[in-house]
């Protein structure tokens, strides 16, 4: 079975600061990979390289067998056009720490924007699917509400529905609960668990250790721009072998 996501010797620098120092990772179709690690370890940067929001300094990323952001001719990778990149990104959903909803659009309007503009769906089809997604995330009755009228947890659930509306092959979550009040975290995690149970391939940067243990197929621990440990959640989270992982988990558990 070929990987749904393959990260190959990925490097990323910002000026003289090397944030990713040679990441290699394969993610199986339908799996959930939780990415843990201290701040500054490169977790979010790695995630942003997967959909080319950050352009790698070296190495490459493949999704469903295709290079992201590039086309390969022989041994040479050449950048693709902006239009082609937008088409690739449509298949890679992303949910951010901050919800990034359009403030002047309702929940429903936020969700149908991509299907209308990028997928070319009719308004009636996009609306029907958006309402079904709002039902799925428990917000059908809030379709006409604007982001300012929604709680943080509700906004994040709309953001998940918006990403799912693009029918992605992969979903990326960048600390999706870190900006939420503690009492709102559970409602977002419940939606994420349902998405995982549907068979979606997911990569999740998170500090929610219980979620990582319960839902993940694999846990990846990053530190200092490297993957220092990865494997079965029960092994990595209960009996970590690397001192950095041991130290990190001793602080957060």
């Amino acid at each position: 079975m070929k990987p749904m996501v393959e990260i190959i010797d990925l490097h990323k620098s910002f000026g003289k600061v090397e944030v990713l120092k040679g990441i290699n990772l394969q993610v199986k179709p339908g799996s959930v990979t939780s990415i843990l690690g201290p701040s500054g370890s490169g977790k979010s940067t790695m995630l942003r390289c997967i959909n080319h929001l950050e352009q790698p300094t070296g190495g490459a990323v493949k999704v469903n067998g295709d290079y992201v952001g590039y086309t390969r001719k022989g041994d040479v990778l050449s950048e693709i056009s902006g239009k082609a990149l937008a088409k690739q990104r449509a298949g890679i959903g992303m949910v951010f720490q901050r919800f990034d909803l359009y403030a002047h659009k309702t929940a429903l309007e936020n969700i149908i924007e991509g299907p209308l503009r990028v997928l070319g769906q009719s308004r009636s089809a996009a609306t029907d699917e958006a309402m079904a997604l709002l039902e799925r995330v428990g917000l059908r009755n809030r379709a006409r509400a604007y982001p300012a009228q929604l709680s943080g947890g509700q906004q994040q659930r709309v953001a998940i529905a918006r990403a799912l509306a693009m029918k992605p092959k992969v979903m990326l979550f960048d600390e999706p609960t870190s900006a939420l009040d503690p009492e709102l975290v559970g409602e977002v995690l419940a939606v994420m668990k349902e998405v995982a149970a549907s068979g979606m391939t997911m990569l999740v940067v998170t500090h929610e250790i219980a979620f990582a243990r319960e839902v993940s197929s694999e846990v990846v621990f990053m530190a200092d721009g490297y993957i220092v440990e990865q494997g079965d959640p029960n092994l990595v989270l209960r009996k970590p072998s690397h001192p950095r992982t041991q130290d990190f988990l001793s602080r957060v558990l």
Side-chain angles (χ1 to χ4, degrees):
M1 181 185 298
K2 72 176 181 180
M4 178 59 74
V5 178
E6 185 174 10
I7 300 174
I8 308 160
D9 194 28
L10 184 65
H11 291 255
K12 177 63 182 178
S13 296
F14 295 97
K16 295 182 179 179
V17 179
E18 190 176 20
V19 177
L20 300 178
K21 303 173 182 177
I23 300 294
N24 290 282
L25 181 66
Q26 293 190 350
V27 177
K28 296 177 181 178
S31 66
V32 178
T33 301
S34 289
I35 304 159
L36 311 178
S39 296
S41 59
K43 307 182 302 295
S44 293
T45 299
M46 182 183 77
L47 213 65
R48 291 170 67 86
C49 285
I50 292 173
N51 66 356
H52 218 67
L53 285 175
E54 296 291 352
Q55 185 173 0
T57 308
V61 175
K62 288 182 176 182
V63 172
N64 202 29
D66 296 323
Y67 286 97
V68 178
Y70 301 97
T71 183
R72 182 170 184 167
K73 296 178 181 177
D75 293 330
V76 178
L77 291 178
S78 303
E79 289 189 49
I80 60 177
S81 68
K83 184 177 181 179
L85 178 58
K87 185 176 180 181
Q88 281 191 329
R89 282 182 178 151
I92 308 171
M94 187 158 187
V95 178
F96 299 89
Q97 296 178 34
R98 297 288 175 177
F99 325 119
D100 292 329
L101 299 176
Y102 294 114
H104 63 291
K105 293 181 180 290
T106 65
L108 176 63
E109 289 167 341
N110 267 279
I111 294 169
I112 67 174
E113 182 79 7
L116 290 177
R117 292 181 177 271
V118 180
L119 301 183
Q121 288 186 353
S122 68
R123 181 168 292 274
S124 61
T127 299
D128 287 347
E129 291 191 17
M131 292 302 294
L133 285 167
L134 283 168
E135 178 82 34
R136 185 175 172 184
V137 301
L139 290 172
R140 187 180 179 89
N141 65 335
R142 305 294 280 154
R144 306 296 174 184
Y146 289 89
Q149 299 170 315
L150 301 172
S151 70
Q154 290 173 331
Q155 290 184 61
Q156 194 63 297
R157 284 187 277 157
V158 172
I160 294 171
R162 179 181 60 181
L164 290 171
M166 299 300 290
K167 299 179 174 60
K169 301 178 182 71
V170 178
M171 285 281 285
L172 311 177
F173 294 84
D174 188 7
E175 298 193 35
T177 61
S178 65
L180 300 178
D181 292 334
E183 66 269 22
L184 302 178
V185 169
E187 65 188 53
V188 173
L189 292 179
V191 171
M192 291 172 63
K193 289 176 184 178
E194 189 276 327
V195 174
S198 74
M200 176 66 68
T201 306
M202 295 168 53
L203 289 92
V204 185
V205 172
T206 185
H207 292 295
E208 301 291 340
I209 304 300
F211 172 87
R213 181 184 293 118
E214 180 182 349
V215 180
S216 301
S217 315
E218 183 171 55
V219 166
V220 169
F221 180 78
M222 292 182 64
D224 304 317
Y226 297 100
I227 292 176
V228 298
E229 190 164 357
Q230 67 185 96
D232 181 275
N234 288 316
L235 290 176
V236 174
L237 296 176
R238 289 191 168 92
K239 296 181 179 180
S241 60
H242 196 283
R244 291 300 304 273
T245 318
Q246 294 167 2
D247 179 65
F248 175 81
L249 291 175
S250 72
R251 295 171 187 269
V252 299
L253 291 177

